[in-house]
Amino acid sequence: MRVLGIETSCDETGIAVYEHGRGLLAQAVYSQIALHAEYGGVVPELASRDHIRKTLPLIQQVLAEAGLTRAQLDGVAYTAGPGLIGALLVGAALGRSLAWAWQVPAIGVHHLEGHLLAPLLEDPAPAFPFVALLVSGGHTQLVEVRGIGRYRLLGESLDDAAGEAFDKTAKILGLPYPGGPELARLAERGDPERFRFPRPMTDRPGLEFSFSGLKTFTLNTVQTELPRAADPEQTRADIARAFEEAVVETLVIKCRRALRATGHQRLILAGGVSANQRLRARMNQAITAEGGQTFYPRPALCTDNGAMIAFAGCQRLLAGQNEPLLFTPRARWPLEQLAPAA
């Protein structure tokens, strides 16, 4: 089965073709970073309009790169939520229309399920069951995964997600949009011994997260330390390093707890923040020291992309699931509401 995947949940237009038994045949991603940079964040209306402009040309490009015609496709998968409702409508309307015109089944994919299953595109792929840390700009969740659609939420952020905290802290430090990767680069020059920031909610039991207080602590440190710093640039780097260390250690502590609580030995990291190299190194060191294994998608599959949607959609279509002509994109959609794949 060959499936076209369409991802338009936010500000990346992602298109891919996945074939069951062969793997990813081709993919392309168009990022709207330059469009939104002057506003310091994503403008939903502009995002929707740019998806309208780019989605169909990218589909044509990916099919050409895969050496396929539309007649050789067996299904269409599109992101149905969660995300920006206008952006979701673009991908969903186009995906459902193409499926109807091509007379193939269509399936709406949960954006987080796409991220969660992205490591299964790699070799070796993790076997079920495992614990997943979904860590991105909008979500920080620990999920027990026993199969496709068999998910149990273990814990999540009570306020800011880790990626959101990265972006907001980057803005506090005066870094350009998108801030998360810029903060990580600045932190490379920082002195890890100069500041120590709190590790939120690690001094109590449980698997919940909270990063808004850490963001406020960083703001207070900036306001106190920068005006009197002999070397402001180095001080900014030191603050960035302290912030990154605090987030990374917090995530590591919670993941270790989740593995102990479930008895599983496999951990996957997915979502945009999972591309952070310090997080990968620390997590791998901590989990392997306890006899566990860590799995990550390649960096190109950490951010929003069509490959993860094509793969997740293919698994659902193979299980006999599809959707009627009427579709319902959802800005909010709890992962636990998904039905298991048969």
Side-chain angles (χ1 to χ4, degrees):
M1 172 175 279
R2 298 189 190 100
V3 177
L4 174 72
I6 302 172
E7 156 60 22
T8 62
S9 65
C10 190
D11 63 334
E12 272 102 18
T13 308
I15 307 296
V17 175
Y18 174 84
E19 181 175 349
H20 179 64
R22 286 185 62 194
L24 186 61
L25 302 185
Q27 69 163 332
V29 176
Y30 174 77
S31 175
Q32 300 177 4
I33 286 176
L35 175 66
H36 301 287
E38 66 175 294
Y39 304 101
V42 177
V43 181
E45 177 64 22
L46 296 181
S48 303
R49 292 181 182 183
D50 223 38
H51 286 310
I52 293 172
R53 185 173 68 90
K54 294 300 296 185
T55 305
L56 194 54
L58 279 181
I59 291 174
Q60 295 168 336
Q61 174 188 327
V62 167
L63 286 177
E65 290 177 0
L68 299 174
T69 66
R70 63 190 186 186
Q72 293 173 291
L73 294 174
D74 302 301
V76 176
Y78 57 85
T79 303
L84 302 176
I85 191 63
L88 291 169
L89 280 166
V90 174
L94 181 58
R96 197 63 194 81
S97 298
L98 290 176
W100 178 81
W102 297 342
Q103 297 185 338
V104 296
I107 187 76
V109 173
H110 193 293
H111 180 74
L112 294 184
E113 181 172 64
H115 275 304
L116 188 151
L117 298 180
L120 275 65
L121 283 161
E122 306 295 0
D123 185 19
F128 300 116
F130 53 76
V131 171
L133 173 65
L134 297 174
V135 55
S136 65
H139 302 87
T140 300
Q141 297 182 338
L142 279 166
V143 182
E144 182 185 27
V145 181
R146 291 190 170 273
I148 295 174
R150 299 175 61 195
Y151 310 131
R152 179 168 70 98
L153 182 64
L154 302 174
E156 63 184 336
S157 180
L158 303 177
D159 40 60
D160 288 354
E164 186 180 6
F166 262 95
D167 290 338
K168 290 180 177 178
T169 300
K171 186 173 289 189
I172 291 170
L173 290 169
L175 299 174
Y177 172 86
E182 293 292 333
L183 188 147
R185 280 190 281 271
L186 179 62
E188 289 296 323
R189 309 199 307 267
D191 178 359
E193 304 299 326
R194 183 172 178 188
F195 300 109
R196 179 175 172 81
F197 286 8
R199 278 55 172 161
M201 298 188 71
T202 58
D203 59 348
R204 66 188 77 177
L207 297 172
E208 307 294 339
F209 301 91
S210 173
F211 293 106
S212 64
L214 179 59
K215 176 191 63 183
T216 302
F217 189 94
T218 306
L219 174 62
N220 292 336
T221 304
V222 168
Q223 292 174 338
T224 301
E225 297 294 334
L226 277 187
R228 65 188 187 192
D231 186 346
E233 284 305 305
Q234 184 58 49
T235 297
R236 287 170 68 247
D238 296 342
I239 292 172
R241 180 63 177 268
F243 171 83
E244 185 181 53
E245 292 277 359
V247 172
V248 166
E249 188 172 346
T250 298
L251 294 174
V252 169
I253 290 170
K254 296 289 185 170
C255 286
R256 291 171 64 192
R257 285 184 187 174
L259 289 175
R260 292 169 184 168
T262 59
H264 302 320
Q265 292 189 314
R266 288 178 289 272
L267 173 77
I268 74 158
L269 270 68
V273 180
S274 70
N276 182 284
Q277 294 303 306
R278 196 179 311 282
L279 174 60
R280 289 190 177 209
R282 294 284 180 83
M283 193 70 76
N284 186 61
Q285 181 182 35
I287 300 305
T288 55
E290 297 188 0
Q293 294 176 283
T294 54
F295 298 86
Y296 315 89
R298 72 199 76 162
L301 299 185
C302 291
T303 54
D304 295 348
N305 63 87
M308 66 183 191
I309 302 304
F311 176 77
C314 184
Q315 309 313 305
R316 295 277 178 181
L317 290 170
L318 286 170
Q321 299 178 5
N322 58 70
E323 291 185 340
L325 188 59
L326 181 66
F327 59 88
T328 309
R330 303 180 223 184
R332 299 184 182 277
W333 189 5
L335 188 62
E336 312 91 273
Q337 290 182 0
L338 291 178

